[in-house]
Amino acid sequence: MSGVEHQPGDPYWFDGVAQFLGTAYLRNAFTKGTEQEVDFLLGALALEPPARVLDVGCGPGRHALALARRGFDVVGVDHSPEFIRLAREAAGREGLAVELEELDVRELDHTGEFDAAVCLCQGGFGLLGGRDEDEVFGRIAATLRRGGRLALSAFSAAFALRHLEATEEYDPATGVLHERATVRDPHGVEAAFDLWTTCFTVRELELLAAMAGLTVDAVHGVTPGAYRAQPPTLDHHELLLLAHRP
Ligand SMILES: C[S@@+](CC[C@H](N)C(=O)[O-])C[C@H]1O[C@@H](n2cnc3c(N)ncnc32)[C@H](O)[C@@H]1O
């Protein structure tokens, strides 16, 4: 194993990627299905405005802003200063009253305030490098009032292994998928970054939910922009956990 890195050295490794990407993040194909994802989630979580919703790892705010446009009372948190700046700028342009906070999910302490929490596309849970996920999951669960609902998507370990590419390495000890990827900034300038995505099984998500005192309603197999109520297969990129606080 010498010379092979299996975990990021820096717990905030994604901040550098976000700083470089800036608005180019929203050019990624996986960000194009926001409205479909929100439509599905509102039905699955039985949410109606003006419910109070927390978006954990909100990035530049695509779900947070979409929810605010529909009349929800939204708080978005993210560690990346650049993504929070972009989210605030977009909210300001549209006159949306979204609360956007620069915060490490490891320090989340909004206890019992929310009707729902969403944590999507790894947002603040799947980029922790194979450390602290149980504690962070507990903190996210604790933000919910009794009866409050959670939707959390996580990269599927089954998909990662079945579709492992030559440029990727999967560490079975931590469940972290490591990839050296070339990304483009808003001007098309390219740079290579290490990406570390923690992968999960259905069972792990169910156990994390149970440990955090949540009742699991479903774990669906989904692909960004194509959220549906369907059992996970080996070809679904992500697992979508739906749970509630009893
Ligand atoms: C792939 S992006 C997803 C963003 C957004 N949820 C979406 O669907 O577009 C993952 C986000 O998690 C954030 N993140 C990573 N580690 C975090 C941490 N420790 N605390 C808070 N946010 C974190 C990143 O800054 C990034 O915005």
Side-chain angles (χ1 to χ4, degrees), residues 11-15 18 25-26 28 30-31 34 37 55-64 77-81 83-84 101-107 118-128 136 153 227 238:
Y12 303 117
W13 64 271
F14 193 82
D15 285 358
Y25 172 80
L26 293 168
N28 282 307
F30 68 80
T31 66
T34 309
E37 292 167 6
D55 185 352
V56 182
C58 63
R62 60 194 183 100
H63 298 101
V77 300
D78 199 284
H79 192 266
S80 157
F83 277 0
I84 287 292
E101 215 182 314
E102 201 180 300
L103 182 85
D104 179 0
V105 278
R106 298 173 186 90
E107 286 161 21
V118 299
C119 180
L120 302 170
C121 195
Q122 337 312 330
F125 170 72
L127 301 182
L128 298 171
V136 165
S153 73
Y227 281 13
E238 290 183 355

Side-chain angles (χ1 to χ4, degrees), residues 135-209:
E135 189 207 323
V136 165
F137 195 104
R139 285 178 181 268
I140 297 172
T143 66
L144 299 173
R145 63 159 172 81
R146 287 191 185 284
R149 291 165 184 263
L150 170 69
L152 176 142
S153 73
F155 206 74
S156 162
F159 176 91
L161 284 171
R162 183 174 217 201
H163 299 277
L164 198 65
E165 295 186 13
T167 53
E168 298 174 336
E169 272 185 309
Y170 180 85
D171 177 12
T174 59
V176 174
L177 181 71
H178 173 227
E179 161 192 18
R180 182 95 180 142
T182 300
V183 298
R184 282 194 191 84
D185 78 0
H187 311 289
V189 176
E190 293 188 341
F193 285 92
D194 289 299
L195 305 181
W196 313 85
T197 307
T198 315
C199 305
F200 294 86
T201 63
V202 172
R203 198 79 193 110
E204 283 173 313
L205 294 180
E206 289 174 343
L207 289 169
L208 282 168

